[in-house]
Amino acid sequence: MVHYHQICTEVTPQCPIADTTYGYRPNLAGNIILLVIFAVCTLAQIYLGLRHRLRAFTVATAVGCGGEAIGYGGRLMMHANPWDANGFKVQICCLVLAPSFLAAGIYLTLKHLVLFFGAEKSRIRPGLYTAIFISCDVVSILVQAGGGGIAASETSSLVKIGDDLIVAGISFQVATMFVCMCLAGDFGYQLYKHQSMRAVTTAEVEEGRELPSSFRYYAICSSVAFVCIFIRCVYRVPEMAGGWGAPLMQQQAEFMVLDGGMIAIAAILMTVAHPGIFFPAIGSRNRKAALKERDAASPTESLRTDEMAEKNQV
């Protein structure tokens, strides 16, 4: 079996585009648009994160958006030369791994949402949202990165092992996200059913019972962003399962919509509905102030919900 990537460095009659891994020249306009979107989101996330002092969320989302921007830079390199090995390595590594960091940003906010609205309404303790799901994200990233390194081997048997590891890593990520969606959905249902909030501040709630429209906007945007990342991960499983150069991997339109488009929507939504603006209680200073105001406003209710939260965490 001839490994064209070992002998081809540019498009020639002997090294046609059809024999590249993707079998096409990445679209110039589409990849420029995606690069600009992710670059702008990266800068916006850094600015908003510094302004609202959200360190962990900012690191996760900035790395995710920045990784996507670099990945589409790699695809632009492949537009100029579809046989560009460096461009291929840059885009495959960044575009496979970057969405995990965006998912991590949402996992980080779940803990604070549960703390804010009432741990007694959650199936698991607030801290477990970050401990479990971010740990799973790290495992997924490591497995995919290891698979990518092995797949770069020139030995056919090792390439197959690398492919399998990448698929396993993405499949594990899909399963993790699905469990998280179920838990978050259940928490939202319990919150809706009880129609009450654990933390009450005059700036964020009306009469301590109605959710403000600004928070609804944030919740909807975050939910849609998470679903978009999930759709992208589901798409990646069969795409990578077919191996390098498989028919699905060579469909540019599907990739641009189900990978680039989905992650672009998620990045935009996580930026325009930034938690520092629409859910300020996520910040440590604002969270303490909110809880303090809640305790002063209704110490009896605060004690009751805190006791329920402790009971739920045992």
Side-chain angles (χ1 to χ4, degrees):
M1 178 179 177
V2 177
H3 292 276
Y4 288 101
H5 67 275
Q6 298 175 15
I7 59 176
C8 294
T9 58
E10 60 182 356
V11 177
T12 66
Q14 294 74 35
C15 298
I17 294 178
D19 287 335
T20 61
T21 299
Y22 290 128
Y24 60 78
R25 187 185 297 273
N27 180 270
L28 180 61
N31 285 283
I32 288 178
I33 291 173
L34 288 172
L35 186 152
V36 171
I37 288 174
F38 289 117
V40 171
C41 287
T42 301
L43 295 176
Q45 286 290 344
I46 293 173
Y47 168 75
L48 291 170
L50 292 175
R51 180 177 179 180
H52 297 284
R53 301 183 181 182
L54 302 180
R55 289 175 294 183
F57 179 84
T58 301
V59 170
T61 53
V63 170
C65 292
E68 289 285 329
I70 294 172
Y72 283 98
R75 287 183 70 83
L76 288 177
M77 293 169 63
M78 292 182 66
H79 169 81
N81 177 14
W83 286 103
D84 191 321
N86 291 327
F88 177 80
K89 292 176 182 178
V90 166
Q91 64 91 32
I92 196 66
C93 290
C94 292
L95 299 185
V96 165
L97 300 178
S100 298
F101 291 94
L102 292 176
I106 296 178
Y107 294 147
L108 287 168
T109 63
L110 280 175
K111 168 187 174 181
H112 300 295
L113 285 168
V114 172
L115 285 171
F116 189 80
F117 288 106
E120 73 279 1
K121 301 180 184 70
S122 175
R123 298 289 179 179
I124 63 175
R125 289 179 294 171
L128 291 180
Y129 282 95
T130 51
I132 293 176
F133 295 115
I134 290 184
S135 295
C136 289
D137 237 17
V138 171
V139 171
S140 173
I141 290 172
L142 292 176
V143 172
Q144 292 177 65
I150 295 174
S153 170
E154 298 179 0
T155 306
S156 298
S157 59
L158 290 180
V159 169
K160 181 63 169 61
I161 293 174
D163 290 346
D164 291 342
L165 282 174
I166 293 175
V167 174
I170 298 177
S171 298
F172 181 65
Q173 184 178 19
V174 169
T176 299
M177 295 185 73
F178 179 74
V179 172
C180 183
M181 288 172 65
C182 291
L183 289 172
D186 179 73
F187 176 74
Y189 170 73
Q190 295 299 325
L191 181 62
Y192 173 78
K193 185 170 69 173
H194 288 86
Q195 287 293 304
S196 63
M197 295 180 65
R198 179 174 182 232
V200 179
T201 66
T202 55
E204 297 168 324
V205 228
E206 295 177 5
E207 298 182 355
R209 302 189 69 84
E210 296 294 330
L211 292 178
S213 58
S214 60
F215 179 80
R216 294 178 189 277
Y217 168 75
Y218 165 73
I220 291 173
C221 288
S222 294
S223 299
V224 173
F226 194 78
V227 170
C228 286
I229 298 173
F230 181 74
I231 291 173
R232 173 267 175 194
C233 291
V234 171
Y235 157 74
R236 276 290 196 171
V237 173
E239 189 227 18
M240 297 299 298
W244 303 110
L248 183 56
M249 187 176 285
Q250 295 191 343
Q251 301 300 314
Q252 181 167 204
E254 283 82 347
F255 175 84
M256 296 297 285
V257 173
L258 296 176
D259 190 289
M262 291 298 102
I263 301 302
I265 291 173
I268 292 171
L269 291 176
M270 293 175 70
T271 302
V272 299
H274 194 274
I277 300 173
F278 296 98
F279 182 47
I282 190 176
S284 58
R285 292 173 59 188
N286 291 329
R287 182 166 61 254
K288 291 177 182 178
L291 295 177
K292 184 176 180 180
E293 183 177 341
R294 179 208 68 185
D295 295 342
S298 181
T300 303
E301 175 67 14
S302 172
L303 179 59
R304 183 183 69 82
T305 54
D306 285 345
E307 289 175 346
M308 291 179 66
E310 290 180 7
K311 183 178 180 181
N312 186 61
Q313 293 176 16
V314 173

